[in-house]
Amino acid sequence: MVAINSNHTTHEYHADIVVIGGGTGGCAAALAAAMSGKKVIMTEETDWIGGQLTSQAVPPDEHPWIEQFGCTRTYRQFRDGVRDYYRRHFPLTAEARANPLLNPGNGGVSRLCHEPRVALAVLQEMLAPYVNSGRLQILTRHRIASANVDGNDVHSVKVRNLLNGSEITLTAAYFLDATECGDVLPLAGAEYVTGAESISETGEPHAVEGESLPQDMQGFTYCFAMDYIEGEDHTIERPERYDFWRAYQADFWPDRLLSWTSVRPHNLETVSYELFEGTDKYSLFFYRRMIDSSNFEAGFYPGNITLVNWPQNDYWLGSVIDVSEADKERHLWDAKQLSLSLLYWMQTEAPRPDGGQGYPGLRLRKDIVGTEDGLAMYPYIRESRRIKAEFTVLEQHVSTACRPDGKAEQFPDSVGIGCYRIDLHPSTGNRHYLDVSSLPFQIPLGSLIPIRMNNLLPACKNLGVTHITNGCYRLHPVEWNIGEAAGLLASRCIDTGILPREVRNTASELRDFQTMLVSYGIELAWPTLRPV
C-alpha cells in the first residue's frame, strides 16, 4: 500500500507479525511464525540476518549435551545445515567429510565453530521457502524509527531505510522486539530495566549493594577474523587511539589490557595466554578458531582462521543503551579502535615465545565479516534492555549455589530450555567478571510477557531476566528458543483471539500452547543433569 498526503509519500506494509531485528532470535521467531502459516515481515539493521551467528561473527556458545539434546528442532536443523553446507560445497578431506560431528574450525569454545558467511547461507536456506512464497518479507538495512501506540497496544512502527532515509510504516497484529538492544521498548513506551539491579530489589546474592545501577552493563565487543601467513607482512595502519589502548589498564585488571595476561573468569586468578599452540599456555588463536585448514584439501585455506572475541577486546568504558547519540557513536568508535589496536599490537609488539616481538603475518580477514574496516558488521552485545515481565528469572532460580536439591526452579509455564554458566563480562561500572555455576534451566512463559503491553513480545535477550541471569540466557541456542517461542506465541494468539497473558494464566490454554510447542520440536524440560 502507498499512502499519499500533502507532504510526502509513505509506504505501508501489513503482516500478521512484524519482527523488528533479524538476529538469532529474530530469525527463529520469523521462521516459527511463517511455519505456522502467518504472514511475517522481519527487519534487520545490517546487510546480514543472523545476529550473533553472522553480523556479530561469534561461533556458537553451547552446552555439553548439545549433540544429543537440549535445543529446539529448528536449531538442530541449523547446526546440521552448517555441517551439510561444508560437505556440499567445500573440498573437505575424506576424514573430515566422514565425521558426523564435523567441527570446521575445531575451536576450543564450541563443538561447531564455523564462518559467519556459512551461517548466513544456512539461515537463508531455512527461510527461503517462506521468502519465495511471499509469506516472509525481509527488510535488511532498516532500523526502527518510531512506534504508534494506543494505550497498551502497538498499532504500527516506522522503520527507516539506512541507505536512502525513506520510511516504511509496518502494521500487524503482533510486534516482536528482536533487536540486540531492545530498541522497540522505549519507542513503544514499554516498561523495561537496564543495567544491574540492587540486592534489595531482587535478593540475588550477586546483585549490587545499595542503589541499582542502570548504566552498569556488560562490556561489548567488536569481533574480527584473522589468519596467519608466515613470512608475510600484513600490518595494518597504526590505529588513531593506539597509544591510549596500548597503555590502558583498568584498576581491577592485573596488567595492561593489551597483553597476554588476563584472569580466569570463575576465580579471578591471573592467567597468562599465548597466541598459538605449542607452549604450556592456552592458545587464544585456538579458542575461537573457525577454520582448521587440516579439515580441507591441502592448500585450500592458506592458514587457519580465528575469531577474535577475547578479554583483550572487551569494551567497558561506556554503554550504548539509553545514552545520547553522540556518546553512543563515541563508544562504538572507541570499541573499534580497541579491536584494531589489539590487532596492531599483536602484529608489532606482542611478545613471542622465541623472545621476539610481533606477528606481522597476522592478516585481518575483511572478507570473512563482509566489511571494509575488517570488524564485524555489528558489535557483540551481551546485555540488552529487558522487559518488566509478569515473571522475572532470578539468580535464585538457576544458580547451583542457590539450589541445594541440584535442580533449577521448575516452571510449569516452560516454553523451552537452556544451559550455560552465569557468565558476566567486566562491566561499564568497572566491575569484574562474574562467572558462577548454574543448572540446566527452563524458559518460563511469564518472562516473555510484558507487565502491561498486549501485543509486544521480546524475542531475544530482552526477556524478563536480570543483569545476573542474563549471563546464562543470552547465548545462541537459548536466544533461538526464546525467539521461536515468541513467534509461536504470537501465532497462537492470532488464531485464538486471546492475549499472551491469558495463554499463561488459563490452564487449558497453557496446556494447548505447550502441546503446540512440543509438536514444533521444542523441549520443555531437562532430564536430571549435572551443573555447568
Side-chain angles (χ1 to χ4, degrees):
M1 177 188 301
V2 179
I4 308 294
N5 63 34
S6 59
N7 297 319
H8 59 276
T9 301
T10 302
H11 294 273
E12 184 175 308
Y13 298 166
H14 178 75
D16 297 312
I17 298 169
V18 166
V19 181
I20 303 297
T24 302
C27 286
L31 176 63
M35 288 174 64
S36 68
K38 301 303 178 289
K39 184 176 180 181
V40 183
I41 297 172
M42 180 174 73
T43 68
E44 164 55 31
E45 287 188 37
T46 72
D47 290 318
W48 290 358
I49 61 171
Q52 294 189 67
L53 295 163
T54 60
S55 61
Q56 297 171 42
V58 184
D61 287 291
E62 299 170 330
H63 58 74
W65 305 281
I66 191 67
E67 300 293 357
Q68 290 79 42
F69 53 84
C71 67
T72 76
R73 180 189 299 151
T74 55
Y75 186 78
R76 189 162 304 284
Q77 289 170 351
F78 166 77
R79 296 180 88 257
D80 292 344
V82 168
R83 287 170 169 150
D84 184 56
Y85 193 90
Y86 278 101
R87 293 189 185 101
R88 283 187 288 130
H89 298 292
F90 287 72
L92 296 168
T93 64
E95 181 181 6
R97 187 174 301 279
N99 183 2
L101 301 181
L102 171 67
N103 188 345
N106 286 325
V109 74
S110 174
R111 290 159 178 78
L112 188 63
C113 294
H114 54 79
E115 299 155 289
R117 285 186 184 275
V118 171
L120 175 65
V122 173
L123 289 170
Q124 290 173 330
E125 284 185 346
M126 294 176 73
L127 294 171
Y130 310 104
V131 172
N132 291 8
S133 69
R135 193 179 291 178
L136 170 62
Q137 184 175 7
I138 301 174
L139 303 174
T140 56
R141 302 294 293 166
H142 281 75
R143 178 186 298 157
I144 186 167
S146 62
N148 178 20
V149 179
D150 182 8
N152 301 331
D153 297 283
V154 180
H155 284 194
S156 65
V157 298
K158 279 188 179 179
V159 294
R160 180 171 297 120
N161 186 316
L162 298 179
L163 300 177
N164 62 25
S166 64
E167 291 187 341
I168 301 172
T169 297
L170 306 178
T171 63
Y174 276 84
F175 296 85
L176 275 54
D177 184 351
T179 60
E180 298 299 329
C181 296
D183 292 334
V184 182
L185 303 181
L187 295 175
E191 293 82 1
Y192 66 89
V193 179
T194 64
E197 293 93 345
S198 72
I199 193 168
S200 63
E201 289 177 299
T202 67
E204 294 172 299
H206 289 96
V208 298
E209 299 284 350
E211 297 295 317
S212 62
L213 302 172
Q215 276 296 311
D216 190 357
M217 307 177 202
Q218 289 187 70
F220 64 91
T221 306
Y222 264 109
C223 304
F224 62 92
M226 65 181 187
D227 58 7
Y228 181 71
I229 312 299
E230 180 67 44
E232 296 184 6
D233 188 347
H234 294 281
T235 305
I236 64 170
E237 183 179 345
R238 183 185 177 97
E240 185 175 336
R241 287 269 283 171
Y242 182 67
D243 287 343
F244 172 83
W245 285 116
R246 181 179 180 272
Y248 175 76
Q249 180 179 352
D251 292 342
F252 57 85
W253 208 250
D255 198 349
R256 291 183 302 178
L257 191 57
L258 300 190
S259 72
W260 296 131
T261 302
S262 184
V263 298
R264 302 184 193 278
H266 68 283
N267 60 17
L268 304 184
E269 290 179 355
T270 299
V271 62
S272 182
Y273 294 117
E274 191 51 81
L275 181 58
F276 295 118
E277 295 174 275
T279 72
D280 60 352
K281 298 176 182 178
Y282 188 82
S283 163
L284 287 172
F285 197 100
F286 162 74
Y287 179 45
R288 292 187 185 270
R289 189 175 59 200
M290 62 175 66
I291 287 295
D292 179 352
S293 59
S294 69
N295 275 329
F296 302 85
E297 290 181 359
F300 185 72
Y301 281 97
N304 298 335
I305 303 172
T306 195
L307 191 280
V308 180
N309 175 23
W310 303 343
Q312 291 90 334
N313 63 329
D314 275 1
Y315 181 87
W316 55 65
L317 296 191
S319 95
V320 294
I321 294 175
D322 290 348
V323 296
S324 69
E325 193 63 26
D327 283 347
K328 175 182 175 181
E329 292 303 317
R330 176 171 57 86
H331 290 309
L332 290 172
W333 177 80
D334 209 14
K336 287 188 172 188
Q337 286 289 300
L338 170 57
S339 287
L340 292 171
S341 294
L342 172 59
L343 174 60
Y344 186 77
W345 174 81
M346 288 191 290
Q347 291 172 325
T348 60
E349 295 190 70
R352 300 197 309 254
D354 63 6
Q357 282 190 317
Y359 298 87
L362 291 173
R363 179 172 58 164
L364 183 62
R365 291 296 301 269
K366 300 179 180 182
D367 54 322
I368 296 292
V369 296
T371 63
E372 282 299 314
D373 63 10
L375 302 177
M377 290 182 181
Y378 200 90
Y380 177 32
I381 301 289
R382 295 182 176 87
E383 187 172 334
S384 171
R385 298 176 181 91
R386 307 179 295 277
I387 64 165
K388 288 188 177 181
E390 284 208 345
F391 182 86
T392 300
V393 182
L394 305 176
E395 181 181 359
Q396 299 92 304
H397 296 133
V398 298
S399 167
T400 303
C402 296
R403 310 295 302 179
D405 64 353
K407 296 180 180 179
E409 183 78 21
Q410 299 298 293
F411 298 127
D413 62 342
S414 172
V415 294
I417 58 176
C419 180
Y420 206 75
R421 288 176 66 86
I422 295 176
D423 172 18
L424 277 70
H425 285 232
S427 74
T428 56
N430 277 341
R431 289 189 299 121
H432 222 315
Y433 282 106
L434 174 64
D435 187 307
V436 298
S437 175
S438 69
L439 293 152
F441 54 80
Q442 295 171 307
I443 304 165
L445 177 56
S447 68
L448 300 186
I449 301 175
I451 57 173
R452 180 179 57 84
M453 303 298 290
N454 290 326
N455 66 338
L456 174 64
L457 298 170
C460 56
K461 298 183 289 288
N462 52 351
L463 76 166
V465 292
T466 65
H467 174 73
I468 304 294
T469 52
N470 164 78
C472 58
Y473 275 74
R474 64 178 174 82
L475 287 308
H476 303 66
V478 190
E479 181 181 333
W480 184 289
N481 195 151
I482 293 164
E484 192 167 354
L488 292 174
L489 177 61
S491 179
R492 175 75 180 171
C493 289
I494 290 171
D495 289 341
T496 61
I498 66 174
L499 295 175
R501 61 178 50 87
E502 294 173 317
V503 173
R504 179 180 183 239
N505 297 313
T506 307
S508 60
E509 293 294 344
L510 176 60
R511 183 179 62 250
D512 290 347
F513 178 55
Q514 289 177 319
T515 300
M516 176 187 182
L517 294 177
V518 172
S519 74
Y520 276 85
I522 295 178
E523 299 174 30
L524 301 184
W526 289 96
T528 300
L529 297 168
R530 63 172 173 83
V532 295

